[in-house]
Amino acid sequence: MSVRKIVTLGNKTLRKISKPVVDFDQSLFELLDDMKTTMLEKRGVGISAVQVGVLRRAIVIQLDDDEFLEIINPEIIKTRGKVNESEGCLSVPGFYCDVERPKYVKISAYNRNGEPFVFEAKDYIARCVCHEIDHLNGVLFVDLTDEGRAYKLEHEVN
Ligand code: CO
């Protein structure tokens, strides 16, 4: 397991649409393991493959001290409510702003073995799930608020 380089704001890769994972094989396992290692090293709570430069629909989220969730090819089934809370991102180091997210989200996805599952989350974890799924579609949290857009104008230099 190794720490991979984080892609940051201004790198066009972050704006691309990630492709579905097709092969649930050793290279996926290595990618997920490295994503987790990188997230922990950088003190993040969620990471998507695009953030280490891999355009595949794969996400790792920290649920608890020693509990992690791997999400492959997620689809949002249902959302409910709205909460405005502070958010940050490993790809936008040093910037935080309030972002409105659903209070509750229900997704379908696959685990690393290609087995489907349904996951429900609320509050903080729901926020993480929505933030990471946005990454798979080239969307960053700075796109979602006036404050974020102002920061982006200054810092997203290509
Ligand atoms: Co992020």
Side-chain angles (χ1 to χ4, degrees):
M1 282 181 272
S2 50
V3 175
R4 299 199 190 185
K5 192 175 185 305
I6 293 276
V7 175
T8 54
L9 186 67
N11 186 317
K12 287 193 170 79
T13 300
L14 282 177
R15 295 313 196 167
K16 296 191 171 146
I17 310 283
S18 294
K19 294 189 174 72
V21 170
V22 181
D23 298 317
F24 293 78
D25 58 6
Q26 190 60 38
S27 76
L28 175 66
F29 303 162
E30 280 169 24
L31 171 65
L32 291 165
D33 290 344
D34 286 356
M35 285 165 63
K36 177 182 163 185
T37 303
T38 305
M39 177 182 76
L40 289 173
E41 168 79 16
K42 307 289 182 191
R43 303 201 174 282
V45 288
I47 191 168
S48 56
V50 61
Q51 291 182 275
V52 295
V54 178
L55 287 165
R56 289 291 172 183
R57 302 184 84 79
I59 291 166
V60 178
I61 285 175
Q62 182 163 26
L63 296 178
D64 212 333
D65 282 352
D66 204 27
E67 196 185 350
F68 300 88
L69 177 69
E70 295 173 347
I71 299 171
I72 318 290
N73 299 345
E75 299 288 345
I76 292 176
I77 298 172
K78 191 194 287 185
T79 63
R80 197 163 56 223
K82 286 176 186 173
V83 189
N84 212 31
E85 291 272 2
S86 181
E87 206 163 297
C89 178
L90 291 177
S91 294
V92 190
F95 179 74
Y96 302 85
C97 71
D98 282 5
V99 179
E100 190 177 277
R101 298 283 188 189
K103 183 175 171 59
Y104 162 92
V105 66
K106 182 179 188 180
I107 62 165
S108 63
Y110 295 83
N111 67 16
R112 64 163 61 198
N113 299 312
E115 296 157 347
F117 67 93
V118 170
F119 180 74
E120 291 176 284
K122 57 182 180 153
D123 300 324
Y124 178 66
I125 301 296
R127 173 170 300 277
C128 290
V129 168
C130 294
H131 175 117
E132 298 308 331
I133 290 177
D134 271 356
H135 271 300
L136 306 185
N137 298 318
V139 175
L140 299 173
F141 81 111
V142 290
D143 303 335
L144 305 178
T145 69
D146 287 343
E147 196 185 347
R149 285 186 286 267
Y151 182 87
K152 183 174 71 167
L153 272 178
E154 242 178 274
H155 293 85
E156 191 169 35
V157 184
N158 291 304

